Amino acid sequence: MLKPHIIKELRAIVGKEHVAVDMQDLVCYGYDATQMEFLPDAVAFPADASETSRIMTLANRERIPVFPRGAGSGFSGGSLPKGGGIVLVTTRMNRILRIDTENMVAVVEPGVVTGDLQDAVERLGLFYPPDPASLRFSTLGGNVAECAGGPRAVKYGVTKDFVLGLEVVLPGGEIIKTGGETFKGVVGYDLTKLLCGSEGTLGIITRIVLRLLPLPESRKTMLAIFDSIDGAASAVATIIRGRIIPVTLEFMDHSAIACVEGQFGLGMPDGARAVLLIELDGDRDLVERQAAAIGELVRPLGLIDFRAAEDSAEAEALWKARRLISPALKKVNPDKINEDIVVPRNRIPDIIRRIEEISGKYEIPIVNFGHAGDGNIHVNIMIDKSVPEQAEKAEKAVREVFGAALGMGGSMSGEHGVGLSKSPYVTMELTPGQIGAMKAIKKALDPNNILNPGKIFPE
Amino acid sequence: MEPLARIENELKKCVKCGTCRAHCPVFSVLGREPVTARGKIALARGILSGSVPIDSRTREDMSKCLLCGRCVEKCANKVPTDLIVLAAREVLARKRGLTPFSRVISLLLGNRSLLNGLSMLAKVASPFLFGRIPASSGLRLRFPFRFLGRRRIPALARRPFLGRHPEVMEGRPGRPRVLYFVGCITNYIYPEIGEAAVFLLKELGCTVIIPNDQQCCGFPAISGGDLDTFRSLAEKNLAALEKHPADYVMTACASCGGAFHRLYPHVLGERFPELSSRFQALAEKSVDAAVLLDRLGFEPACNGTAAGQRVFYHDPCHLRSRSVVREPRELLRSLPGLELVEAERSDTCCGLGGTFNYHHYGTSMGINAAKITAIGNSRADNVATGCPGCMLQIADGLSRGHGRVRVRHLLEMLADGMRGNP
Ligand SMILES: Cc1cc2nc3c(=O)[nH]c(=O)nc-3n(C[C@H](O)[C@H](O)[C@H](O)COP(=O)(O)OP(=O)(O)OC[C@H]3O[C@@H](n4cnc5c(N)ncnc54)[C@H](O)[C@@H]3O)c2cc1C
Ligand code: SF4
Ligand code: SF4
């Protein structure tokens, strides 16, 4: 419970209607896509950096934790107010301030929804590539804070590759700028990159400068079905060695194929053990030529079927199986633990085999799909939480999956971040030296540990 | 608690992904999490567990839903938020009583002779009661009553539709027998829709049956949480519609059809097993006018002169959510010379949401504004749709700056096309 005078001060900063303390609001700003729930003491909706800064000053004086929040679509609990405090929501900071077509940059506030920016720049013939599956509702602030990525990462990279500069309110209330509006700039430490993926623990982002590209002229979608995961993996290597970088290389392993087929019966050919969804973009002629070349390149690799879409309706049909995974998963078991490990892309067959063993050992269905081009795999451990020993087994399985990924030179999380849900495992990946350096940075910027406490580092 | 407790499993299906934030029209205007489907489901769970109080604030949050079903369509888990909100409203109504507005609604809907009497009175008094606004887009009158605020709504019909025609009008042998369920807005405000429906069905050789004792579908009652009135209306409708053997029950109001297809079977059928098979049978028999005309092979007169009309088709939520999107467009395209504009936002909610418009007029018109802008940008001169409720709302929005655009029911345009009228 916050003392009445603090609520009063908060209201004086942002305006009465922009502070919420009713139970109804507390409930609705205390969850995210992890489905964990914690109740904050208050929810504040600042309009700009200056109000945000005054909230941080107040919070520091009173030692009240502050939890930045965008859309609350996070998969690791990053925005959750564990232990109580103020949830600071960015939805009012939702203006696209400028789209500079000459220098190809966009300046936005953090509450802008990713897809809205994409629509706005595409209308001007420009392109903002990062495409997390949540792009229709997640915010750019949340994307920067988690360094979100999507299928297009193979060719274009992830959020941090597009952030040129930031305006940030530091935990103590200072407002600073990092980076700028130019592609180059080497004066001082790269604070911009430090803040990308900082999960709201080092500062509150109040303005973002993003790099844009010209919108590719055309796009082409293909589906290749293989008789083994090795075939699909060597297809990825072969395509890239053939000097073609597709915009998207999504794969489904046989667990995902079986899952979708079992529920929806799309008529996948018998013997289909892996599916690659390939998308090219660029100049129309080039794309057609590359598509034909890919058809030839993958043929000897245990190819069962190859389809290329002629128009957007056909492309959508090819995406269908991939899009049906989520609904199909629901039917396997009621609860899913959704991890997003990464391995070097040529190790995908090895990690899939390892995961199959783990699945067998604990007798829990595990369904895999993901981004073959960058080795980022969505590992869905399907359990029924109401069965007590299943939760326990799943926890052990997760640990083994992480261990396997790390053993192959990978990482426990490619996109979703650590937050609350992965902090117990962080020491598997980070050495005491690394954690020490990170904590030193955190301590220097946030000596009172009031900005998003309890995240990333194990307690 | 019972209404919510019985659907507790549905509540658990929400995985809090947040997808519904991208699709909820109310959220797009208000921007606060409690109004999203995810928020309402969390509140409903809180009501059940006791952590969320059953107070005026919860009632306010639950009232901020258009029951448009958009979130259900887009949700990977198909969580039935519309049914959850209705159940929550029922719980609130039981614990806190109906709102004064809902009490009036239920009183009126439960009693057609009272409603008829009132509409007579309003008609006689209308020249004195209503301020005049420019006679465009079919909107003639503005209520001066405080409770109706700044709404602009059309004058009531001179004579309600029900009772204008014989109850049974025999068609050609071998052609389908169609029960026509009229609905309140057509009956009292837009009887011309009913006339168009009867004309079209007769032209197609159908036997048209308009049961005289049909009632309001009950949507406005359950929308306010009044299960008893809803059930009683639904039962009367069952009785009225079951009296005549027929192949179809046709609705030309998206919401009435929505009540038959979704609310009767789920809200009532699952609750009252003794009625469930009858509701199921009604749902199977009932069909939207556009689907029926498409199936019966509607063909316009070849001299139909829709030529030069640019038409914006608005998808009513309660048709879109039932996947009735192809038929209305194809029927319109079949009219010679008519140009159907493929515009943005043809499938977004108009913002009416039944009682939502009464409780949250500002938000309702905020949602409507995007639609009106899209209609303006499309340079259409007619808006066609399949729901008289949407017509009211869109006409209200258009009357502020786009007065030259006419709003018409699809059936009116088709009837004109068949008659060869412009
Ligand atoms: C269905 C679904 C699909 C998804 N697909 C993907 C995907 O393909 N790729 C991917 O990478 N992720 C994906 N995600 C995860 C999630 O959408 C991303 O992590 C997204 O970036 C979170 O944005 P948000 O606005 O919801 O942030 P929130 O969840 O509100 O917050 C996330 C973190 O960012 C911090 N934060 C938010 N705003 C600010 C700010 N202005 N300043 C500082 N810190 C801030 C919060 O404190 C928190 O730590 C998906 C999630 C869902 C539910
Ligand atoms: S209602 Fe559906 S779309 Fe909305 S958060 Fe829940 S699961 Fe996601
Ligand atoms: S039914 Fe419509 S208004 Fe209600 S929560 Fe769903 S999307 Fe929003």
Side-chain angles (χ1 to χ4, degrees), chain A residues 17-20 22-25 27-29 31-35 37 45 69-73 91 136-137 326-327 330, chain B residues 13-19 21-22 27 31-34 36 38-39 42-43 51-53 55 57-58 61 76-77:
Chain A
E17 65 278 28
H18 302 305
V19 177
D22 287 346
M23 181 53 82
Q24 288 80 358
D25 293 303
V27 164
C28 291
Y29 287 99
Y31 52 63
D32 71 359
T34 59
Q35 302 190 60
E37 296 169 23
F45 302 85
R69 181 182 175 97
S73 73
T91 32
R136 282 286 144 209
F137 44 100
S326 279
K330 242 355 230 189
Chain B
K13 282 191 196 156
C14 170
V15 297
K16 300 206 166 74
C17 63
T19 303
R21 283 173 68 101
F27 178 73
R32 288 285 183 101
E33 182 73 26
T36 63
R38 177 169 72 163
L43 293 179
S51 63
V52 168
D55 60 9
R57 170 62 209 271
T58 302
D61 287 329
N77 302 312

Side-chain angles (χ1 to χ4, degrees), chain A residues 280-356:
Chain A
L280 294 166
D281 70 356
D283 185 74
R284 188 159 288 122
D285 298 336
L286 179 71
V287 162
E288 287 301 332
R289 246 185 301 129
Q290 289 184 334
I294 288 178
E296 290 309 312
L297 285 171
V298 301
R299 195 167 310 282
L301 305 171
L303 188 72
I304 297 181
D305 194 10
F306 184 83
R307 292 172 222 164
E310 291 306 325
D311 54 36
S312 58
E314 283 184 34
E316 196 42 47
L318 296 187
W319 271 94
K320 188 164 181 196
R322 172 68 180 76
R323 296 205 203 285
L324 282 173
I325 297 178
S326 279
L329 279 175
K330 242 355 230 189
K331 313 248 159 86
V332 176
N333 250 336
D335 304 299
K336 97 177 161 192
I337 300 178
N338 162 5
E339 301 298 352
D340 73 316
I341 56 166
V342 206
V343 292
R345 66 179 167 235
N346 65 352
R347 302 299 300 272
I348 288 178
D350 300 331
I351 190 81
I352 296 289
R353 274 188 282 272
R354 190 69 197 99
I355 293 171
E356 269 167 26

